[in-house]
Amino acid sequence: MARLTALSMAVVLHSVLGISYYYYFRGSPESAAPALGAWLFSACIVALLQAVRIFPSTVPADQRFRGRNINNRAIQPSWAALFLETGICCLVLDVTLTKLWHRIESLCQCATVGVLQALAVEEQTFLAYEYWTVGLTTGLIGACLLWLTLWATALPTKLHCRLLDWRRSFHRHCNSMLFGPGTPMPAQAQESAQSFVS
């Protein structure tokens, strides 16, 4: 949960609030590409970051899934680790957007300008064609990279499994509140629980 909290904070700081060198860099007049491709590429990097453990866990794997450590206490991440992980996520987002995505945008813009200069059109039409062609090209590249990343990290399947786990634990907690923690469920409640989970 700490990884998702740190990643969420990094996305809010970097992409929503715009605290980034990339967005300052993007404000330059030579960047004519729309932000759609950059947003898709940012989503691609976020999908990669959610799949990577920045700090390895010292808790055994069977205990990690239950949220408990060996002494049966809840695992509490430290604030320093949370802020450090948020900073690392922001740095990764900023470096990949500035160094990698900006180069892709520049290459698409150079190729588009090279092709469009062969057309004899006025300046306003040229700028409109350049904007929409670069936007379409970078958007398509960003969408392909995002699809490839989602496929490689199996994020939709993981989200579906987490949703099912959440539904099961919610149902278990509701049953323990209604019927008590030590009492067995009635047969009708067990049948409805099985139909609810499946």
Side-chain angles (χ1 to χ4, degrees):
M1 192 66 177
R3 287 188 312 138
L4 292 178
T5 305
L7 191 56
S8 302
M9 287 173 54
V11 167
V12 166
L13 288 173
H14 186 273
S15 298
V16 177
L17 296 178
I19 302 173
S20 167
Y21 179 71
Y22 174 73
Y23 293 112
Y24 169 75
F25 198 61
R26 235 186 111 66
S28 63
E30 71 258 3
S31 177
L36 176 65
W39 280 89
L40 290 171
F41 187 74
S42 295
C44 170
I45 299 302
V46 167
L48 279 176
L49 285 174
Q50 68 80 29
V52 173
R53 289 196 181 277
I54 295 174
F55 296 118
S57 178
T58 58
V59 179
D62 60 338
Q63 300 292 327
R64 191 180 315 137
F65 293 116
R66 294 186 208 133
R68 306 254 172 211
N69 66 9
I70 296 170
N71 298 331
N72 206 19
R73 291 181 308 206
I75 299 169
Q76 297 295 328
S78 69
W79 287 100
L82 182 70
F83 288 133
L84 187 61
E85 196 162 353
T86 302
I88 290 171
C89 290
C90 283
L91 183 67
V92 168
L93 277 167
D94 209 29
V95 167
T96 54
L97 279 170
T98 304
K99 297 297 180 189
L100 184 62
W101 184 251
H102 184 70
R103 307 256 173 163
I104 292 172
E105 279 183 344
S106 298
L107 277 171
C108 290
Q109 188 171 4
C110 286
T112 301
V113 168
V115 169
L116 290 178
Q117 281 181 344
L119 302 174
V121 293
E122 58 189 41
E123 186 177 354
Q124 289 295 86
T125 309
F126 179 83
L127 291 176
Y129 282 169
E130 178 188 11
Y131 180 81
W132 288 109
T133 307
V134 170
L136 181 67
T137 307
T138 56
L140 188 62
I141 291 171
C144 289
L145 287 173
L146 180 61
W147 178 80
L148 184 66
T149 303
L150 290 177
W151 176 77
T153 59
L155 183 62
T157 307
K158 288 179 186 176
L159 290 177
H160 181 69
C161 290
R162 286 181 187 167
L163 179 65
L164 289 177
D165 289 342
W166 178 80
R167 282 176 52 188
R168 286 185 197 115
S169 66
F170 178 73
H171 187 58
R172 227 178 287 126
H173 288 299
C174 288
N175 282 337
S176 68
M177 284 179 15
L178 292 175
F179 301 113
T183 59
M185 288 189 339
Q188 185 181 13
Q190 287 179 351
E191 291 172 11
S192 67
Q194 289 173 354
S195 66
F196 179 73
V197 171
S198 58

